[in-house]
C-alpha cells in the first residue's frame, strides 16, 4: 500500500484547502478514499452524527501534479483511511503560500498522512514544515460501509437560491426553532418554514429553476429536518459552488449537491419523524 | 419597492398597517432597546413607540415617528400589544442584519387587533418572507412621571464624548455616580470599583458639550447594571441629552440618525440607587 502526491500550483492548493476546510466543518471524523483517478471524502450515515452523510468527490488530476498510489491489491486498487479532517485542514493552513505540498502515506508510530510543506524563504534554502496526521487504515472487509449513498427516487429536484441569502434566512430561523420544513415543487418554487408557539415564518423563493431531468408536477414535496444540520452545510461550505441543487424525497430525505467545476459535494439530511 | 405578495385577504381591516422601504430603519432602533425579550408596542397616528422595562427601575422607549414609514395608518386612537422583541428582531433581519449596498429589505407590517398575531411581509431581491408573530397580553407599564417642568439639570452632549467615557468606565463598580452642577466640577462621572475610585470631569466649555443648563448641584448614583443596556443606543446615536429631575431620576435621550438622514429618538429612564442606610419612613 503506497500513496504519495504533490501539489505545486497555488490555485489548486487553495481549492483543495477549501474542500478540506468544508469537510472539517461538516464532520469530526471522515473517511478519505483514494483511487487511481479520484479522491473521496466520505461521512457515512451514522446515528452519532445525526444521520447526516456527506459524499465529496474530486478528480485528482485537477489538483495534483503528481499522484501515485498502490492499493491493497491489484484488483482492489484503492486505499481507505479514517482521519480527522480538522487535522488536515490545520496542516494545509500553514501551506497558504507554499511552493509545494507533498502528501504521503507513512508508517511512523502509527499510520500517518505526512504533509510536507515547502515554504519560500529569503535565503536559497527553503523551509519545510512537516505535519504527521494519524490515520486509521480501514480494512477491506469494511469498505462496503462506504459506498456512495443511493438516492431514492426523489419527488422534486430544484436549483438552490444564492447560498448567502439562504444562509442568513436559515441562521435567523435557527434562533427561533430547532427544525425547519423545506418544501419545493417543479415550478421553481421553494419554501423554508418554521413554526413554533411564538412565531411562524415562511420564506418563499421563486423562479429557481428545476433541472431538466424531472417530470412535471405542481405539488410541493416537503421534508422536516434538523435546522442545525442545514446550517452546518450552509455555514460550513467553502467550495463556492457554481451550481447548487436540492432533491427532496417527501418526508424521507433532503439531498443537496454542490458543484464547483471538478468538485462535487453531496450532503444528505434525513427527515425528522 | 412594491411587495410582490399582498397580505392575504387584503380586504380585511387592520387596526395597524405600515410599510417601510428599509426594514433596517426599524430593526436598528429596536436593537437599541433590546435588553429584555418582552416589549410593549403602542401605535398612534404619530408613530410607533416600543417600550422595554427591567426590574421596575429602568425603562427604554424607542420612538419611530410615522414619517419614517412610507405608509402608516392606525384605525383606532391607539393600538397596543406586547411582543417578543428577540423574535421580532430575528424576523426583521431575516435577510441578514447588514444588507448589501444597493439592496434593502422592504417591510409591510399589519395587525388586526387584540388576539391576532403581528404579520410581517419582508421582501429582498424577489424573495418574500411572511412572519406571523403571536402577540401577548399588554402589561401595565411604569410611569416615571418625568416631566420637563421638574427637570433640574440638563446637558446635551455629543455622543462620542459619552461613548469614550462609557468605554473606560470601571465596570467593577456597582454604581455610576453622576454629578451635575452650575459650578465646578460641572459634569462629573464617578465609579467606585475594586481598583479604587475614578472621576471623569467634563469642563462646561468642552467642544463636546452643546448645551449646559444646570440649576442646582445634584449628585446621584445609578446602578451600572441598569445603565449598561443604554450603551446600545449610545453606540448608534449622534447626540445625547442627559437630564435629572427633582427626585434624581435620570433621563437619557439619544438622537439617532439613520442611513437616510432621518432622526429618531431612543429614551432611557432610570431610578437613582436608593441609599440602603436611609431609614424607611
Amino acid at each position: 500500500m503506497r500513496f504519495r502526491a504533490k501539489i505545486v500550483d497555488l490555485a489548486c492548493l487553495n481549492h483543495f484547502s477549501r474542500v478540506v476546510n468544508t469537510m472539517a466543518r461538516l464532520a469530526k471524523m471522515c473517511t478519505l478514499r483514494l483511487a487511481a483517478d479520484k479522491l473521496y471524502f466520505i461521512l457515512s450515515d451514522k446515528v452519532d452524527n445525526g444521520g447526516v452523510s456527506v459524499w465529496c468527490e474530486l478528480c485528482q488530476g485537477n489538483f495534483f501534479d503528481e499522484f501515485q498510489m498502490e492499493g491493497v491489491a491489484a484488483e482492489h486498487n484503492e486505499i481507505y483511511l479514517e482521519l480527522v479532517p480538522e487535522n488536515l485542514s490545520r496542516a494545509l493552513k500553514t501551506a497558504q503560500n507554499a511552493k509545494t505540498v507533498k502528501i504521503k502515506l507513512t508508517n511512523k508510530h502509527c499510520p500517518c498522512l505526512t504533509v510536507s510543506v515547502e515554504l519560500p524563504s529569503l535565503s536559497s534554502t527553503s523551509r519545510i514544515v512537516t505535519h504527521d496526521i494519524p490515520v486509521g487504515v480501514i480494512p477491506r472487509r469494511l469498505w462496503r460501509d462506504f459506498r456512495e449513498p443511493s438516492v431514492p427516487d426523489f419527488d422534486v429536484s430544484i436549483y438552490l437560491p444564492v447560498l448567502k441569502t439562504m444562509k442568513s434566512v436559515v441562521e435567523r430561523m435557527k434562533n427561533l426553532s430547532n427544525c425547519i420544513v423545506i418544501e419545493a415543487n417543479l415550478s421553481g418554487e421553494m419554501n423554508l418554514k418554521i413554526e413554533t408557539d411564538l412565531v411562524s415564518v415562511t420564506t418563499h423563493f421563486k423562479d429557481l429553476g428545476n433541472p431538466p431531468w424531472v417530470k412535471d408536477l405542481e405539488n410541493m414535496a416537503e421534508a422536516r429536518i434538523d435546522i442545525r444540520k442545514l446550517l452546518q452545510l450552509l455555514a460550513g461550505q467553502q467550495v463556492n459552488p457554481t451550481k447548487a441543487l436540492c432533491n427532496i424525497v417527501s418526508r424521507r430525505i433532503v439531498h443537496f449537491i454542490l458543484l464547483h467545476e471538478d468538485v462535487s459535494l453531496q450532503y444528505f439530511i434525513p427527515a425528522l419523524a | 419597492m412594491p411587495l410582490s405578495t399582498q397580505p392575504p385577504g387584503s380586504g380585511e381591516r387592520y387596526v395597524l398597517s405600515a410599510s417601510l422601504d428599509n426594514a433596517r430603519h426599524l430593526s436598528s432602533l429596536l436593537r437599541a432597546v433590546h435588553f429584555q425579550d418582552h416589549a410593549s408596542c403602542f401605535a398612534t397616528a404619530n408613530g410607533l413607540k416600543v417600550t422595554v422595562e427591567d426590574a421596575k427601575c429602568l425603562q427604554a422607549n424607542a420612538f419611530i415617528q410615522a414619517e419614517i414609514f412610507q405608509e402608516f395608518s392606525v384605525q383606532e386612537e391607539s393600538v397596543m400589544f406586547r411582543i417578543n422583541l428577540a423574535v421580532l428582531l430575528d424576523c426583521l433581519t431575516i435577510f441578514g442584519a447588514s444588507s448589501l449596498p444597493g439592496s434593502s429589505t422592504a417591510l409591510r407590517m399589519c395587525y388586526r387587533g387584540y388576539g391576532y398575531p403581528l404579520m410581517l411581509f419582508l421582501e429582498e431581491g424577489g424573495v418574500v418572507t411572511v412572519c406571523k408573530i403571536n402577540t401577548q397580553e399588554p402589561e401595565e407599564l411604569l410611569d416615571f412621571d418625568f416631566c420637563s417642568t421638574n427637570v433640574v439639570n440638563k446637558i446635551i452632549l455629543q455622543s462620542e464624548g459619552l461613548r469614550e467615557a462609557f468605554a473606560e468606565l470601571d465596570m467593577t463598580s456597582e454604581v455610576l455616580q453622576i454629578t451635575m452642577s452650575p459650578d465646578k466640577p460641572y459634569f462629573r462621572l464617578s465609579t467606585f470599583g475594586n481598583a479604587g475610585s475614578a472621576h471623569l470631569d467634563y469642563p462646561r466649555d468642552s467642544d463636546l458639550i452643546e448645551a449646559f443648563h444646570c440649576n442646582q448641584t445634584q449628585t446621584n448614583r445609578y446602578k451600572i447594571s441598569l445603565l449598561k443596556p443604554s450603551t446600545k443606543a449610545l453606540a448608534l446615536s449622534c447626540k445625547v441629552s442627559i437630564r435629572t429631575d427633582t427626585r434624581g431620576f435620570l433621563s437619557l435621550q439619544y438622537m439617532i440618525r439613520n442611513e437616510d438622514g432621518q432622526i429618531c429618538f431612543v429614551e432611557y429612564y432610570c431610578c437613582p440607587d436608593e441609599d440602603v442606610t436611609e431609614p424607611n419612613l
Side-chain angles (χ1 to χ4, degrees):
Chain A
M1 207 164 42
R2 281 183 41 213
F3 168 67
R4 60 189 305 147
K6 189 164 120 183
I7 304 182
V8 177
D9 185 80
L10 207 58
C12 290
L13 178 60
N14 288 334
H15 193 176
F16 185 66
S17 301
R18 279 199 298 273
V19 173
V20 174
N21 294 344
T22 302
M23 278 314 294
R25 296 179 71 166
L26 295 181
K28 278 201 178 68
M29 198 75 156
C30 77
T31 302
L32 170 61
R33 173 181 161 198
L34 303 164
D37 55 347
K38 283 192 169 170
L39 289 86
Y40 305 83
F41 289 99
I42 304 164
L43 173 69
S44 63
D45 190 20
K46 285 198 190 98
V47 183
D48 58 351
N49 54 46
V52 168
S53 34
V54 180
W55 182 268
C56 181
E57 189 173 319
L58 17 159
C59 292
Q60 58 90 352
N62 292 321
F63 293 91
F64 295 93
D65 294 86
E66 276 172 35
F67 193 91
Q68 296 167 16
M69 63 117 4
E70 228 170 73
V72 280
E75 68 275 24
H76 300 289
N77 192 21
E78 298 198 3
I79 300 172
Y80 283 67
L81 303 171
E82 189 179 49
L83 66 106
V84 176
E86 174 66 28
N87 287 341
L88 186 55
S89 159
R90 236 178 286 151
L92 292 173
K93 216 161 266 164
T94 59
Q96 270 164 6
N97 343 292
K99 281 159 80 180
T100 59
V101 173
K102 288 181 194 159
I103 304 175
K104 207 160 70 171
L105 183 62
T106 56
N107 200 353
K108 303 212 167 169
H109 295 294
C110 65
C112 285
L113 264 188
T114 298
V115 179
S116 309
V117 179
E118 189 186 341
L119 293 165
S121 71
L122 293 173
S123 69
S124 55
T125 49
S126 50
R127 297 172 292 153
I128 299 201
V129 180
T130 304
H131 301 261
D132 290 316
I133 301 165
V135 295
V137 176
I138 298 172
R140 240 195 66 204
R141 60 190 159 81
L142 297 179
W143 285 10
R144 47 181 307 163
D145 294 348
F146 303 98
R147 278 188 300 211
E148 181 164 3
S150 61
V151 185
D153 272 350
F154 39 79
D155 299 308
V156 161
S157 180
I158 191 164
Y159 290 117
L160 289 176
V162 180
L163 291 187
K164 201 166 163 264
T165 308
M166 194 170 161
K167 180 182 145 207
S168 73
V169 168
V170 174
E171 257 167 3
R172 304 295 146 185
M173 288 182 167
K174 201 200 89 184
N175 296 341
L176 304 170
S177 172
N178 294 327
C179 56
I180 184 169
V181 172
I182 177 163
E183 63 175 16
N185 63 15
L186 295 169
S187 314
E189 294 171 339
M190 182 178 89
N191 301 327
L192 300 176
K193 301 198 289 194
I194 58 137
E195 193 163 352
T196 69
D197 295 346
L198 283 176
V199 63
S200 71
V201 180
T202 308
T203 296
H204 304 268
F205 297 91
K206 56 185 173 103
D207 306 325
L208 296 177
N210 303 89
W213 58 75
V214 285
K215 19 187 212 290
D216 198 65
L217 262 176
E218 269 288 298
N219 293 333
M220 288 274 181
E222 63 155 56
R224 203 163 61 96
I225 55 175
D226 184 336
I227 198 161
R228 283 167 306 165
K229 304 291 174 215
L230 176 57
L231 190 59
Q232 201 170 24
L233 173 70
L234 295 171
Q237 73 82 18
Q238 292 185 21
V239 289
N240 302 322
T242 43
K243 267 221 165 78
L245 54 98
C246 156
N247 299 320
I248 302 176
V249 185
S250 266
R251 289 162 219 284
R252 279 186 58 197
I253 202 162
V254 186
H255 170 211
F256 294 92
I257 309 175
L258 308 187
L259 298 169
H260 178 103
E261 292 162 26
D262 39 353
V263 179
S264 77
L265 177 85
Q266 299 183 62
Y267 191 76
F268 299 78
I269 309 176
L272 299 170
Chain B
M1 194 186 299
L3 282 171
S4 38
T5 303
Q6 283 301 309
S10 338
E12 287 170 29
R13 275 174 54 86
Y14 291 102
V15 296
L16 164 68
S17 70
S19 54
L20 186 58
D21 280 350
N22 187 349
R24 281 230 283 166
H25 293 170
L26 180 58
S27 59
S28 66
L29 280 171
L30 296 184
R31 203 168 285 126
V33 295
H34 180 211
F35 55 89
Q36 286 281 310
D37 279 349
H38 290 283
S40 301
C41 303
F42 301 89
T44 64
N46 294 327
L48 184 68
K49 182 174 97 168
V50 179
T51 304
V52 181
E53 292 184 342
D54 188 22
K56 301 263 178 231
C57 296
L58 179 69
Q59 184 182 74
N61 296 293
F63 301 96
I64 305 102
Q65 60 275 35
E67 295 77 55
I68 301 288
F69 295 90
Q70 275 62 51
E71 184 223 317
F72 192 85
S73 77
V74 182
Q75 301 303 325
E76 293 169 4
E77 200 178 312
S78 74
V79 173
M80 187 162 105
F81 54 88
R82 210 161 94 100
I83 201 162
N84 185 307
L85 191 55
V87 170
L88 178 59
L89 276 169
D90 275 323
C91 289
L92 287 173
T93 55
I94 189 106
F95 296 115
S98 56
S99 57
L100 298 164
S103 76
S104 59
T105 306
L107 164 71
R108 181 164 176 76
M109 184 164 78
C110 316
Y111 177 57
R112 279 182 66 182
Y114 182 80
Y116 285 95
L118 178 73
M119 305 282 297
L120 303 180
F121 302 85
L122 298 127
E123 192 256 16
E124 183 174 324
V127 184
V128 174
T129 297
V130 182
C131 312
K132 255 199 255 180
I133 309 173
N134 290 339
T135 53
Q136 301 147 354
E137 197 74 31
E139 274 192 5
E140 185 112 8
L141 291 172
L142 300 172
D143 181 6
F144 277 74
D145 191 25
F146 192 97
C147 59
S148 45
T149 48
N150 292 336
V151 167
V152 178
N153 295 316
K154 171 176 169 180
I155 295 174
I156 298 176
L157 200 67
Q158 285 183 18
S159 296
E160 64 183 278
L162 206 58
R163 270 199 288 272
E164 265 170 49
F166 268 77
E168 287 172 18
L169 278 186
D170 176 3
M171 287 297 169
T172 62
S173 170
E174 203 183 314
V175 293
L176 174 68
Q177 180 175 294
I178 301 180
T179 304
M180 290 163 102
S181 165
D183 310 302
K184 256 188 153 188
Y186 305 116
F187 179 41
R188 165 176 281 187
L189 303 176
S190 316
T191 51
F192 312 93
N194 298 340
S197 330
H199 303 283
L200 182 82
D201 292 357
Y202 291 79
R204 70 175 289 179
D205 56 355
S206 157
D207 289 345
L208 296 167
I209 292 183
E210 297 212 345
F212 188 90
H213 305 289
C214 291
N215 301 310
Q216 173 189 324
T217 303
Q218 233 186 350
T219 299
N220 292 298
R221 293 180 168 197
Y222 305 92
K223 282 217 158 49
I224 281 204
S225 59
L226 289 175
L227 291 181
K228 201 133 188 246
S230 73
T231 52
K232 291 185 175 190
L234 181 62
L236 294 169
S237 66
C238 47
K239 285 182 197 176
V240 53
S241 158
I242 305 166
R243 298 180 300 165
T244 51
D245 71 1
T246 45
R247 302 162 301 171
F249 279 48
L250 177 70
S251 148
L252 298 167
Q253 275 180 325
Y254 297 96
M255 188 169 113
I256 296 173
R257 187 177 277 127
N258 69 20
E259 296 151 8
D260 292 351
Q262 296 161 311
I263 297 217
C264 290
F265 289 93
V266 168
E267 185 172 49
Y268 275 81
Y269 291 118
C270 186
C271 298
D273 201 27
E274 292 283 326
D275 200 338
V276 280
T277 56
E278 207 172 60
N280 284 328
L281 295 174

